[in-house]
């Protein structure tokens, strides 16, 4: 992620990395998921970042991906299209509170694992759009945005021609 000239104390966001790491470890222990780690570019101008994916063992449940940026911050992806960048800005004027961002991370991930993420592709006159809704404890949000023709075609081939409500994550059985 890019460095912001008006962000003087970016170190305060390092707790996001710790919280995400703890969350990922906890989810990997409690749920039947595959954990994949890699180094990836988030964009053409960006450096490689550590990416951790948790992929449920049932294809009906939505995946989680968290990128650990150098800012320090996180790029969180739920399902196919729900993306959040924490912090959203990081500048001194926005004064984002790391504790609130951690709460947001936990709330969004909690909604995903409980089956609260709905996604679809809709066609319009000007092209195709994605639409997502995330519902959880104390959380109701929706987002939408344009898709390229290729992304829309890939989404429809992947089963998103009809709305998809991701299933809850399967829990590990006690040993």
């Amino acid at each position: 992620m890019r460095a912001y000239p008006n962000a003087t104390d970016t170190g305060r966001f390092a707790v996001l990395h710790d919280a995400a790491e703890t969350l990922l470890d906890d989810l990997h222990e409690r749920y039947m998921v595959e954990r994949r780690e890699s180094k990836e570019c988030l964009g053409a101008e960006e450096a490689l970042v550590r990416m951790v994916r948790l992929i449920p063992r049932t294809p009906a449940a939505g995946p989680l991906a968290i990128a650990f940026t150098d800012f320090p911050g996180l790029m969180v992806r739920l399902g196919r299209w729900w993306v959040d960048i924490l912090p959203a800005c990081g500048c001194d004027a926005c004064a984002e509170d790391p504790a609130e961002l951690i709460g947001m991370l936990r709330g969004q991930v909690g909604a995903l694992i409980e089956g609260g993420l709905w996604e679809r592709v809709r066609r319009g006159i000007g092209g195709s759009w994605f639409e997502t809704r995330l519902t959880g404890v104390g959380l109701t949000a929706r987002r939408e945005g344009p898709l390229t023709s290729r992304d829309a075609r890939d989404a429809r081939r992947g089963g998103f021609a009809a709305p998809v409500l991701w299933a809850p994550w399967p829990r590990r059985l006690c040993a």
Side-chain angles (χ1 to χ4, degrees):
M1 302 307 255
R2 296 178 229 11
Y4 295 94
N6 297 323
T8 57
D9 183 20
T10 59
R12 72 185 185 274
F13 296 114
V15 297
L16 293 173
H17 283 202
D18 297 335
E21 193 67 57
T22 300
L23 179 63
L24 289 164
D25 290 344
D26 180 55
L27 294 173
H28 188 245
E29 273 185 35
R30 293 179 28 215
Y31 294 92
M32 293 174 46
V33 294
E34 178 182 342
R35 183 177 180 142
R36 295 182 189 167
E37 295 199 32
S38 61
K39 292 278 190 181
E40 298 181 21
C41 285
L42 295 180
E45 302 288 321
E46 305 294 338
L48 287 173
V49 298
R50 178 175 170 238
M51 178 75 74
V52 180
R53 287 186 169 80
L54 295 182
I55 303 159
R57 300 276 166 117
T58 177
L64 166 67
I66 298 180
F68 293 77
T69 67
D70 290 337
F71 180 71
L74 304 171
M75 193 277 307
V76 181
R77 179 180 295 272
L78 310 175
R80 189 170 184 123
W81 293 295
W82 187 274
V83 176
D84 230 340
I85 297 175
L86 305 173
C89 177
C91 77
D92 296 342
C94 289
E96 292 172 279
D97 180 4
E100 289 178 13
L101 297 174
I102 291 169
M104 183 185 305
L105 170 68
R106 289 181 182 149
Q108 289 182 0
V109 171
L112 171 71
I113 64 175
E114 294 300 323
L117 180 63
W118 175 91
E119 299 182 297
R120 79 170 177 168
V121 172
R122 77 184 150 85
R123 293 181 188 180
I125 295 172
S128 295
W129 290 72
F130 72 84
E131 185 177 356
T132 65
R133 294 183 192 147
L134 187 62
T135 305
V137 177
L139 172 68
T140 302
R142 73 184 294 271
R143 296 186 180 163
E144 61 181 41
L147 291 172
T148 64
S149 297
R150 180 181 174 171
D151 287 343
R153 187 174 48 253
D154 289 347
R156 284 190 292 278
R157 286 182 184 153
F160 287 86
V164 173
L165 176 60
W166 292 105
W169 282 16
R171 291 190 176 271
R172 288 195 185 274
L173 300 175
C174 296

